[in-house]
Amino acid sequence: FLSEEDDYNSDDEENFQQQQMLQTKAPAPAELTQAELDIMIAVESHRHKALGTELALMMMYYGATALKLRRFYVKIKDTNHASIKLFKEKLGFVECAYAECFGEYEFELKSETSEEMVELIEQKWQSLVKKTQPTSAADGTVDGNGRIYHIYECPV
């Protein structure tokens, strides 16, 4: 701290300690209820294999079970048709906003409770597993059934 006074004073020490105690007694954080998802499959050869769907569902499952989240949202450029299809068609997100100045949609998936969100995610997961064809990867990132969730021990 910079100060114009150079003389040490015990009152200054007490004031400093009081200020430190006030700063460490931060108010309790507000209950978290929502999170923004952001996914990028950078390697082109890994696209169009339902990895984005899996990753989104795993993140959402963690958020709904561990953090008790009940709303997920994404912001997607209006030219990113693959992401729009993923969140709108495959995961059931609905458009809730459009920022014309950014050319960006906001989609959301929400429920009244985190428990309802977990049920919704589990239903979508089961639907994905039924639709997805098994694949394999030499690098071990995909299990014998084509799913990556076993690596992360996701219970879904």
mmCIF file of all heavy atoms in Angstrom, residues 62-78:
data_model
loop_
_atom_site.group_PDB
_atom_site.id
_atom_site.type_symbol
_atom_site.label_atom_id
_atom_site.label_comp_id
_atom_site.label_asym_id
_atom_site.label_seq_id
_atom_site.Cartn_x
_atom_site.Cartn_y
_atom_site.Cartn_z
ATOM 1 N N TYR A 62 -22.363 -33.685 -16.078
ATOM 2 C CA TYR A 62 -21.571 -33.246 -14.927
ATOM 3 C C TYR A 62 -22.186 -31.988 -14.305
ATOM 4 O O TYR A 62 -22.344 -31.886 -13.091
ATOM 5 C CB TYR A 62 -20.112 -32.971 -15.326
ATOM 6 C CG TYR A 62 -19.314 -32.405 -14.178
ATOM 7 C CD1 TYR A 62 -18.803 -33.235 -13.190
ATOM 8 C CD2 TYR A 62 -19.114 -31.035 -14.058
ATOM 9 C CE1 TYR A 62 -18.097 -32.713 -12.110
ATOM 10 C CE2 TYR A 62 -18.410 -30.509 -12.989
ATOM 11 C CZ TYR A 62 -17.906 -31.347 -12.016
ATOM 12 O OH TYR A 62 -17.230 -30.824 -10.952
ATOM 13 N N GLY A 63 -22.539 -31.039 -15.151
ATOM 14 C CA GLY A 63 -23.126 -29.797 -14.647
ATOM 15 C C GLY A 63 -24.425 -30.014 -13.904
ATOM 16 O O GLY A 63 -24.666 -29.416 -12.857
ATOM 17 N N ALA A 64 -25.271 -30.893 -14.424
ATOM 18 C CA ALA A 64 -26.572 -31.138 -13.799
ATOM 19 C C ALA A 64 -26.446 -31.969 -12.525
ATOM 20 O O ALA A 64 -27.168 -31.734 -11.554
ATOM 21 C CB ALA A 64 -27.505 -31.823 -14.788
ATOM 22 N N THR A 65 -25.519 -32.936 -12.505
ATOM 23 C CA THR A 65 -25.403 -33.799 -11.323
ATOM 24 C C THR A 65 -24.512 -33.191 -10.249
ATOM 25 O O THR A 65 -24.907 -33.116 -9.086
ATOM 26 C CB THR A 65 -24.859 -35.192 -11.692
ATOM 27 O OG1 THR A 65 -23.600 -35.056 -12.346
ATOM 28 C CG2 THR A 65 -25.846 -35.947 -12.572
ATOM 29 N N ALA A 66 -23.340 -32.733 -10.610
ATOM 30 C CA ALA A 66 -22.382 -32.241 -9.608
ATOM 31 C C ALA A 66 -22.636 -30.787 -9.212
ATOM 32 O O ALA A 66 -22.450 -30.420 -8.055
ATOM 33 C CB ALA A 66 -20.952 -32.397 -10.127
ATOM 34 N N LEU A 67 -23.051 -29.967 -10.173
ATOM 35 C CA LEU A 67 -23.220 -28.536 -9.902
ATOM 36 C C LEU A 67 -24.683 -28.117 -9.786
ATOM 37 O O LEU A 67 -24.976 -26.954 -9.532
ATOM 38 C CB LEU A 67 -22.533 -27.719 -10.995
ATOM 39 C CG LEU A 67 -21.053 -28.021 -11.225
ATOM 40 C CD1 LEU A 67 -20.514 -27.226 -12.403
ATOM 41 C CD2 LEU A 67 -20.253 -27.737 -9.963
ATOM 42 N N LYS A 68 -25.585 -29.059 -10.047
ATOM 43 C CA LYS A 68 -27.035 -28.816 -9.955
ATOM 44 C C LYS A 68 -27.524 -27.741 -10.926
ATOM 45 O O LYS A 68 -28.440 -26.983 -10.635
ATOM 46 C CB LYS A 68 -27.449 -28.445 -8.520
ATOM 47 C CG LYS A 68 -27.023 -29.449 -7.468
ATOM 48 C CD LYS A 68 -27.647 -30.801 -7.712
ATOM 49 C CE LYS A 68 -27.251 -31.779 -6.616
ATOM 50 N NZ LYS A 68 -27.344 -33.150 -7.049
ATOM 51 N N LEU A 69 -26.913 -27.694 -12.105
ATOM 52 C CA LEU A 69 -27.320 -26.718 -13.115
ATOM 53 C C LEU A 69 -28.631 -27.157 -13.747
ATOM 54 O O LEU A 69 -28.896 -28.347 -13.887
ATOM 55 C CB LEU A 69 -26.243 -26.577 -14.188
ATOM 56 C CG LEU A 69 -24.869 -26.126 -13.703
ATOM 57 C CD1 LEU A 69 -23.893 -26.064 -14.863
ATOM 58 C CD2 LEU A 69 -24.949 -24.788 -12.991
ATOM 59 N N ARG A 70 -29.416 -26.158 -14.167
ATOM 60 C CA ARG A 70 -30.684 -26.486 -14.819
ATOM 61 C C ARG A 70 -30.909 -25.710 -16.112
ATOM 62 O O ARG A 70 -31.956 -25.784 -16.722
ATOM 63 C CB ARG A 70 -31.841 -26.312 -13.858
ATOM 64 C CG ARG A 70 -31.924 -25.018 -13.164
ATOM 65 C CD ARG A 70 -33.071 -25.032 -12.153
ATOM 66 N NE ARG A 70 -33.404 -23.703 -11.761
ATOM 67 C CZ ARG A 70 -33.044 -23.149 -10.609
ATOM 68 N NH1 ARG A 70 -32.357 -23.834 -9.737
ATOM 69 N NH2 ARG A 70 -33.392 -21.928 -10.336
ATOM 70 N N ARG A 71 -29.898 -24.971 -16.541
ATOM 71 C CA ARG A 71 -29.964 -24.295 -17.845
ATOM 72 C C ARG A 71 -28.575 -24.310 -18.467
ATOM 73 O O ARG A 71 -27.588 -23.995 -17.820
ATOM 74 C CB ARG A 71 -30.415 -22.845 -17.707
ATOM 75 C CG ARG A 71 -30.457 -22.115 -19.054
ATOM 76 C CD ARG A 71 -30.896 -20.650 -18.908
ATOM 77 N NE ARG A 71 -30.991 -20.005 -20.202
ATOM 78 C CZ ARG A 71 -30.090 -19.149 -20.705
ATOM 79 N NH1 ARG A 71 -29.009 -18.836 -20.020
ATOM 80 N NH2 ARG A 71 -30.266 -18.611 -21.891
ATOM 81 N N PHE A 72 -28.563 -24.704 -19.750
ATOM 82 C CA PHE A 72 -27.341 -24.657 -20.537
ATOM 83 C C PHE A 72 -27.640 -23.800 -21.757
ATOM 84 O O PHE A 72 -28.733 -23.862 -22.315
ATOM 85 C CB PHE A 72 -26.906 -26.056 -20.972
ATOM 86 C CG PHE A 72 -26.520 -26.928 -19.811
ATOM 87 C CD1 PHE A 72 -27.442 -27.781 -19.237
ATOM 88 C CD2 PHE A 72 -25.246 -26.871 -19.273
ATOM 89 C CE1 PHE A 72 -27.098 -28.564 -18.148
ATOM 90 C CE2 PHE A 72 -24.893 -27.645 -18.187
ATOM 91 C CZ PHE A 72 -25.823 -28.498 -17.621
ATOM 92 N N TYR A 73 -26.662 -23.005 -22.160
ATOM 93 C CA TYR A 73 -26.862 -22.186 -23.342
ATOM 94 C C TYR A 73 -25.589 -22.169 -24.174
ATOM 95 O O TYR A 73 -24.486 -22.434 -23.679
ATOM 96 C CB TYR A 73 -27.321 -20.767 -22.981
ATOM 97 C CG TYR A 73 -26.306 -19.946 -22.223
ATOM 98 C CD1 TYR A 73 -25.481 -19.045 -22.885
ATOM 99 C CD2 TYR A 73 -26.183 -20.056 -20.846
ATOM 100 C CE1 TYR A 73 -24.556 -18.280 -22.192
ATOM 101 C CE2 TYR A 73 -25.262 -19.293 -20.139
ATOM 102 C CZ TYR A 73 -24.458 -18.414 -20.815
ATOM 103 O OH TYR A 73 -23.536 -17.654 -20.127
ATOM 104 N N VAL A 74 -25.777 -21.886 -25.453
ATOM 105 C CA VAL A 74 -24.662 -21.783 -26.394
ATOM 106 C C VAL A 74 -24.865 -20.537 -27.245
ATOM 107 O O VAL A 74 -26.001 -20.111 -27.474
ATOM 108 C CB VAL A 74 -24.547 -23.026 -27.306
ATOM 109 C CG1 VAL A 74 -24.189 -24.260 -26.509
ATOM 110 C CG2 VAL A 74 -25.829 -23.260 -28.096
ATOM 111 N N LYS A 75 -23.759 -19.972 -27.696
ATOM 112 C CA LYS A 75 -23.788 -18.853 -28.632
ATOM 113 C C LYS A 75 -23.079 -19.328 -29.886
ATOM 114 O O LYS A 75 -21.927 -19.749 -29.824
ATOM 115 C CB LYS A 75 -23.115 -17.632 -28.029
ATOM 116 C CG LYS A 75 -23.873 -17.081 -26.837
ATOM 117 C CD LYS A 75 -23.187 -15.890 -26.225
ATOM 118 C CE LYS A 75 -23.991 -15.398 -25.030
ATOM 119 N NZ LYS A 75 -23.354 -14.263 -24.377
ATOM 120 N N ILE A 76 -23.800 -19.261 -31.008
ATOM 121 C CA ILE A 76 -23.293 -19.840 -32.255
ATOM 122 C C ILE A 76 -23.451 -18.843 -33.393
ATOM 123 O O ILE A 76 -24.528 -18.267 -33.580
ATOM 124 C CB ILE A 76 -24.063 -21.139 -32.603
ATOM 125 C CG1 ILE A 76 -23.988 -22.138 -31.444
ATOM 126 C CG2 ILE A 76 -23.538 -21.753 -33.890
ATOM 127 C CD1 ILE A 76 -24.890 -23.349 -31.629
ATOM 128 N N LYS A 77 -22.375 -18.677 -34.168
ATOM 129 C CA LYS A 77 -22.445 -17.825 -35.359
ATOM 130 C C LYS A 77 -23.522 -18.372 -36.294
ATOM 131 O O LYS A 77 -23.664 -19.593 -36.462
ATOM 132 C CB LYS A 77 -21.102 -17.804 -36.095
ATOM 133 C CG LYS A 77 -20.037 -17.018 -35.391
ATOM 134 C CD LYS A 77 -20.274 -15.548 -35.589
ATOM 135 C CE LYS A 77 -19.097 -14.748 -35.096
ATOM 136 N NZ LYS A 77 -19.391 -13.334 -35.077
ATOM 137 N N ASP A 78 -24.243 -17.476 -36.935
ATOM 138 C CA ASP A 78 -25.335 -17.903 -37.816
ATOM 139 C C ASP A 78 -24.845 -18.657 -39.050
ATOM 140 O O ASP A 78 -25.623 -19.302 -39.745
ATOM 141 C CB ASP A 78 -26.235 -16.734 -38.200
ATOM 142 C CG ASP A 78 -25.492 -15.564 -38.819
ATOM 143 O OD1 ASP A 78 -24.305 -15.719 -39.189
ATOM 144 O OD2 ASP A 78 -26.093 -14.480 -38.916
#
